[in-house]
C-alpha cells in the first residue's frame, strides 16, 4: 500500500465518521427534552416503536434519515422530515414501516414530510411490500399549508395511494398511537386494519376546540375520538391496545399470519463474502475528485467471492458492464470506469466520461439483463457525455439517447449507488432518481450537480464579473479570487450528498460497507412484485 492509499483511507474514513455524527444528531428528533416529555406521557418515540416492532438481530435500512436537514430554519427545522421510515422484518416478513415523530412539531407535516411519506408508499407500491403506519401527528403544519395541501404530490396523495394499494392487495396496517386529526384521520381508516392506543390515541376530523367553535358543542377529546369511542361506539378502529407495546405486539401477530406472496423469481444462491478486503474501498477511492482509480477494484469488494463476469471488456471501456452476485442475488452491474483508458485504435478516453461506444455497450447490456430477468445495479461516478466535434459527428446524442431509452424502459428492478461524481446527463443515463431506481443511495464521497463545483464556479464567475463590469466596477485579481471562492462555497454546499438527501433526491447517505445490504434488501423487496410487462425500447435511432 502506498502513501496515496493511506491518504485516501484517512479522508474517506473521516467522511464516514462525519456521517455517523450527523446520523446520531438526527436520531434525536426534536431533542432530548422533547423525548423526555414524550416518555412522560407513557409513549415510546418513533424510533423506539420501530425498533420494538422489527425482528431482533435482523437487517434493516432507513429511508430518508437526512430528509429536511438544513431546511425550514426559520420554523425551527424538521429533523428527518418529522417521520422515520425503515425497511425491515416483522416476524420474518419484509415490511416498510412509517412512524410519525411527535417530538418534531408534534409530528406535523412539513412539505418534506409529505414527500417522504409518498416515497415510502412508492416503495410499497413498486415492490408490493406490506406497509405499517405508526400514526402520531398533529396534521398539516399550518404556516406552510400552501406547500403541502393542494397539489398532486402533496398531503392528499397519501389517501389516494391508500386506496390504490388496497386495490392492489398490498397489506396496510395502521396503529394510532397519538394524535390523528383532520384529513390525516383517513389514513388509518383506509388501511386494512386499524389499531388505537387507549388514552393516548385519538382520531377525529376536528378536535374539541374546533367543535366548540364550529357548532357550540362542549366535549373532551377522549370522548370525542378516543379508543373506547372508536372501538365500542363508532366501529372506526378494529383493536384497542392498552399501551404502545401492546399495539406493536398486535401488529406482529397480524403480520405473522399473512400468507406468502407471488415472487418475481430473481435468481439467488448461497451468499458469499467478497474475497477481497471490503475495507480497501476507503483506500482505493481517491480523495481528489480528478484522480483516477480502477472501478473494477471497487466492484471486487462489493460482489460475492469477488467474482465478476465482465461483458464486452475491451469495448466502450469508460463504462464497465458485467454479471455478478450480491448477497447471493444475481445482478447486472453498469459502472463508470474512472481511469484513463486506451482503445484498440490507440486513442485515449477520459475516465468517468460516457463515449459513443460505452453508451452503445451499456444499452445492449441493459437489454440483455431485461431478457434474462436480472436486476440492474448502477455504480455512478460520472462527469457526463463526451463533447466536441468528434463525438458530435459520431452521433453521441443518438447513442446517449439509446442508453437513456434503455434505462427508462427497463422492467427489471434498478438500484443506484452514487460513489463519486453524478453530473449532468450522466446522472440521467446512469439511472438517477428521475429514472425510477427502486432504491438510490449515495456514499459520503458523492456529489450531485449539473456540473462540478470548479466548472460551475468558473461559469458563474464569468457571468457575475461581466455584470459588475457593466455597472462600472473594477475587477482586480484579488476581487475575482474572492468572488470565485464565494461562488464555489455556495455551489459546493448544493452538491453535497447531504443536500441531495435532505430533499430526497436520494434515499440515504450510506457507509460504503453497507452497499451489499442495501442492494440485497432492495432485490428481496422487488422479488415481491412479479414483472407484468415485457421490455420494449420503443422507437430509437439505430
Amino acid at each position: 500500500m502506498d502513501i496515496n492509499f493511506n491518504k485516501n483511507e484517512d479522508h474517506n474514513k473521516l467522511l464516514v465518521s462525519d456521517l455517523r455524527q450527523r446520523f446520531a444528531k438526527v436520531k434525536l428528533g426534536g431533542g432530548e427534552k422533547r423525548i423526555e416529555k414524550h416518555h412522560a406521557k407513557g409513549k415510546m418515540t418513533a424510533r423506539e416503536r420501530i425498533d420494538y416492532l422489527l425482528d431482533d438481530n435482523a437487517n434493516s435500512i432507513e429511508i430518508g434519515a437526512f430528509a429536511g436537514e438544513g431546511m425550514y430554519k426559520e420554523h425551527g427545522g424538521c429533523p428527518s422530515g418529522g417521520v422515520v421510515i425503515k425497511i425491515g422484518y416483522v416476524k420474518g416478513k419484509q415490511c416498510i414501516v412509517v412512524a410519525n415523530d411527535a417530538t418534531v412539531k408534534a409530528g406535523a407535516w412539513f412539505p418534506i414530510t409529505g414527500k417522504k411519506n409518498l416515497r415510502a408508499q412508492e416503495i410499497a407500491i413498486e415492490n408490493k411490500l406490506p406497509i405499517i403506519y405508526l400514526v402520531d401527528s398533529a396534521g398539516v403544519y399550518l404556516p406552510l399549508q400552501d406547500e403541502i395541501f393542494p397539489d398532486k404530490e402533496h398531503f392528499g396523495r397519501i389517501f389516494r395511494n391508500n386506496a390504490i394499494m388496497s386495490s392492489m392487495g398490498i397489506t396496510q396496517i395502521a396503529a394510532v398511537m397519538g394524535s390523528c386529526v383532520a384529513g390525516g384521520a383517513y389514513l388509518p381508516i383506509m388501511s386494512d386494519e386499524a389499531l388505537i392506543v387507549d388514552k393516548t390515541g385519538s382520531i377525529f376530523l376536528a378536535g374539541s376546540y374546533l367543535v366548540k367553535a364550529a357548532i357550540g358543542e362542549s366535549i373532551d377529546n377522549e370522548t370525542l375520538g378516543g379508543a373506547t369511542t372508536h372501538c365500542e361506539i363508532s366501529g372506526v378502529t378494529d383493536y384497542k391496545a392498552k399501551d404502545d407495546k401492546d399495539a406493536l405486539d398486535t401488529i406482529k401477530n397480524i403480520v405473522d399470519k399473512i400468507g406468502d406472496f407471488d415472487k418475481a423469481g430473481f435468481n439467488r444462491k448461497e451468499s458469499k463474502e467478497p474475497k477481497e478486503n471490503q475495507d480497501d474501498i476507503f483506500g482505493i477511492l481517491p480523495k481528489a475528485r480528478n484522480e483516477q482509480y480502477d472501478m473494477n477494484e471497487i466492484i471486487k469488494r462489493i460482489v460475492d467471492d469477488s467474482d465478476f463476469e465482465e461483458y464486452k471488456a475491451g469495448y466502450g471501456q469508460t463504462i464497465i458492464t458485467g454479471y455478478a452476485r450480491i448477497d447471493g442475488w444475481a445482478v447486472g452491474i453498469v459502472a463508470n470506469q474512472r481511469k484513463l483508458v486506451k482503445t484498440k485504435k490507440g486513442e485515449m478516453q477520459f475516465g468517468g466520461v460516457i463515449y459513443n461506444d460505452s453508451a452503445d455497450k451499456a444499452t445492449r447490456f441493459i437489454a440483455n439483463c431485461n431478457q434474462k430477468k436480472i436486476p440492474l445495479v448502477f455504480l455512478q461516478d460520472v462527469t457526463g457525455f463526451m463533447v466536441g466535434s468528434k463525438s458530435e459527428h459520431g452521433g453521441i446524442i443518438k447513442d446517449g439517447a439509446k442508453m437513456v431509452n434503455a434505462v427508462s424502459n427497463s422492467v427489471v428492478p434498478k438500484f443506484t449507488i452514487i460513489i463519486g461524481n453524478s453530473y449532468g446527463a450522466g446522472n440521467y443515463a446512469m439511472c438517477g432518481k428521475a429514472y425510477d431506481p427502486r432504491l438510490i443511495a449515495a456514499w459520503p464521497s458523492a456529489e450531485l450537480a449539473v456540473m462540478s463545483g470548479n466548472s460551475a464556479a468558473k461559469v458563474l464567475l464569468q457571468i457575475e464579473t461581466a455584470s459588475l463590469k457593466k455597472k462600472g466596477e473594477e475587477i482586480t485579481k484579488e476581487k475575482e479570487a474572492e468572488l470565485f471562492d464565494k461562488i464555489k462555497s455556495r455551489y459546493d454546499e448544493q452538491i453535497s450528498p447531504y443536500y441531495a438527501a435532505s430533499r430526497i433526491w436520494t434515499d440515504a447517505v450510506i457507509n460504503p460497507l453497507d452497499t451489499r445490504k442495501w442492494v440485497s434488501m432492495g432485490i428481496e423487496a422487488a422479488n415481491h412484485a412479479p414483472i407484468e410487462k415485457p421490455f420494449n425500447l420503443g422507437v430509437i435511432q439505430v
Side-chain angles (χ1 to χ4, degrees):
M1 295 184 188
D2 59 21
I3 189 71
N4 280 335
F5 185 98
N6 293 333
K7 286 181 178 178
N8 294 339
E9 185 176 45
D10 290 344
H11 172 74
N12 288 308
K13 286 189 173 180
L14 280 172
L15 291 180
V16 172
S17 176
D18 178 53
L19 167 62
R20 291 195 188 101
Q21 290 173 25
R22 287 171 180 260
F23 184 59
K25 185 177 178 181
V26 300
K27 279 178 72 175
L28 293 174
E32 291 177 349
K33 288 184 179 179
R34 288 181 182 169
I35 290 172
E36 286 173 12
K37 287 181 180 179
H38 200 72
H39 285 160
K41 297 174 184 176
K43 297 165 72 173
M44 303 164 74
T45 66
R47 291 183 180 278
E48 288 167 348
R49 288 165 176 168
I50 292 178
D51 288 345
Y52 183 84
L53 180 64
L54 296 182
D55 295 346
D56 294 335
N57 303 316
N59 280 335
S60 67
I61 56 177
E62 182 167 348
I63 305 296
F66 296 108
E69 184 177 277
M71 300 168 69
Y72 314 116
K73 290 177 182 177
E74 65 276 23
H75 298 277
C78 188
S80 283
V83 63
V84 182
I85 297 171
K86 286 189 180 183
I87 300 175
Y89 302 88
V90 179
K91 293 292 185 178
K93 291 184 173 63
Q94 196 179 43
C95 303
I96 184 162
V97 186
V98 180
N100 299 114
D101 186 351
T103 71
V104 180
K105 292 287 193 296
W109 287 56
F110 283 66
I112 198 67
T113 318
K115 186 173 183 179
K116 186 171 172 179
N117 275 266
L118 289 170
R119 176 60 180 146
Q121 289 186 321
E122 180 182 39
I123 292 170
I125 290 169
E126 285 181 331
N127 299 291
K128 292 186 168 62
L129 206 60
I131 185 167
I132 299 165
Y133 308 99
L134 306 180
V135 184
D136 193 346
S137 171
V140 166
Y141 183 63
L142 289 177
L144 296 173
Q145 65 85 26
D146 61 319
E147 297 178 42
I148 181 62
F149 168 65
D151 210 346
K152 181 179 177 181
E153 301 303 330
H154 284 176
F155 188 68
R157 187 77 170 182
I158 301 288
F159 317 126
R160 175 264 187 193
N161 286 350
N162 288 143
I164 294 297
M165 284 190 280
S166 183
S167 72
M168 294 173 67
I170 297 170
T171 298
Q172 299 177 84
I173 301 167
V176 179
M177 311 180 85
S179 297
C180 183
V181 300
Y186 288 103
L187 184 146
I189 314 312
M190 294 188 75
S191 299
D192 301 341
E193 297 186 79
L195 305 83
I196 186 168
V197 178
D198 196 21
K199 299 298 186 288
T200 55
S202 58
I203 310 172
F204 33 65
L205 295 181
S208 56
Y209 292 120
L210 186 53
V211 167
K212 177 69 174 176
I215 64 172
E217 181 184 3
S218 295
I219 190 170
D220 64 272
N221 283 338
E222 184 64 24
T223 306
L224 181 66
T228 299
T229 294
H230 286 310
C231 287
E232 299 176 19
I233 300 173
S234 72
V236 164
T237 50
D238 307 311
Y239 306 89
K240 180 164 73 171
K242 63 182 180 181
D243 55 26
D244 282 7
K245 287 187 177 180
D246 187 33
L248 297 168
D249 285 336
T250 301
I251 293 173
K252 291 180 185 183
N253 291 334
I254 294 169
V255 173
D256 191 39
K257 296 170 182 66
I258 296 173
D260 202 0
F261 55 90
D262 295 334
K263 296 175 179 63
F266 302 122
N267 186 301
R268 191 179 199 185
K269 291 186 175 179
E270 183 183 351
S271 176
K272 295 181 180 179
E273 288 294 310
K275 278 183 182 176
E276 301 290 342
N277 185 359
Q278 294 178 66
D279 282 336
D280 287 349
I281 287 172
F282 298 114
I284 294 166
L285 195 65
K287 175 181 177 180
R289 309 204 74 78
N290 57 353
E291 285 184 22
Q292 299 175 33
Y293 68 96
D294 188 351
M295 181 65 83
N296 281 295
E297 295 303 316
I298 299 288
I299 293 171
K300 287 177 188 176
R301 287 156 178 84
I302 292 175
V303 302
D304 288 15
D305 211 29
S306 299
D307 184 18
F308 181 60
E309 186 71 30
E310 192 168 357
Y311 171 84
K312 287 184 179 288
Y315 178 72
Q317 294 176 69
T318 63
I319 284 184
I320 299 168
T321 53
Y323 303 104
R325 290 187 183 275
I326 294 179
D327 195 26
W329 293 104
V331 296
I333 293 175
V334 181
N336 302 112
Q337 175 59 288
R338 275 305 310 271
K339 69 175 185 179
L340 200 67
V341 297
K342 190 174 184 179
T343 69
K344 289 290 174 69
K345 295 178 180 179
E347 299 169 338
M348 300 305 296
Q349 294 185 339
F350 296 102
V353 179
I354 302 174
Y355 288 77
N356 301 69
D357 52 359
S358 46
D360 177 64
K361 176 173 80 171
T363 302
R364 176 63 182 267
F365 181 72
I366 291 166
N368 278 346
C369 287
N370 275 270
Q371 183 86 347
K372 297 178 177 72
K373 202 159 74 171
I374 300 173
L376 285 159
V377 176
F378 293 82
L379 303 178
Q380 285 196 14
D381 194 345
V382 59
T383 53
F385 285 87
M386 191 58 191
V387 296
S389 60
K390 187 174 181 181
S391 289
E392 297 293 358
H393 295 170
I396 187 65
I397 297 173
K398 178 179 68 176
D399 290 324
K402 285 193 291 186
M403 184 176 173
V404 169
N405 195 313
V407 172
S408 303
N409 285 300
S410 178
V411 296
V412 295
K414 299 167 291 192
F415 303 90
T416 302
I417 306 294
I418 304 172
I419 289 174
N421 303 323
S422 181
Y423 298 153
N427 170 281
Y428 301 158
M430 290 294 294
C431 197
K433 182 69 181 292
Y435 291 80
D436 299 320
R438 296 293 176 96
L439 294 173
I440 176 169
W443 289 3
S445 49
E447 286 187 358
L448 289 82
V450 171
M451 61 182 74
S452 73
N454 270 327
S455 299
K458 287 173 184 176
V459 173
L460 292 168
L461 178 66
Q462 290 176 36
I463 295 168
E464 193 152 339
T465 52
S467 175
L468 291 171
K469 284 176 181 176
K470 278 184 182 179
K471 294 175 183 176
E473 289 192 36
E474 184 183 348
I475 307 298
T476 64
K477 285 187 177 180
E478 291 78 13
K479 175 71 172 175
E480 190 173 277
E482 182 186 334
L483 278 172
F484 178 83
D485 290 341
K486 183 180 177 182
I487 292 167
K488 188 174 184 304
S489 175
R490 185 175 67 234
Y491 195 86
D492 283 347
E493 181 186 347
Q494 294 177 359
I495 66 180
S496 157
Y498 297 100
Y499 190 92
S502 72
R503 288 150 181 81
I504 318 182
W505 301 341
T506 62
D507 292 317
V509 182
I510 66 170
N511 185 328
L513 302 183
D514 286 334
T515 302
R516 283 170 54 82
K517 178 175 73 172
W518 269 75
V519 173
S520 176
M521 288 190 68
I523 299 175
E524 184 179 350
N527 205 37
H528 286 71
I531 296 170
E532 296 174 349
K533 65 176 184 178
F535 176 63
N536 186 343
L537 278 178
V539 178
I540 58 171
Q541 294 275 0
V542 179

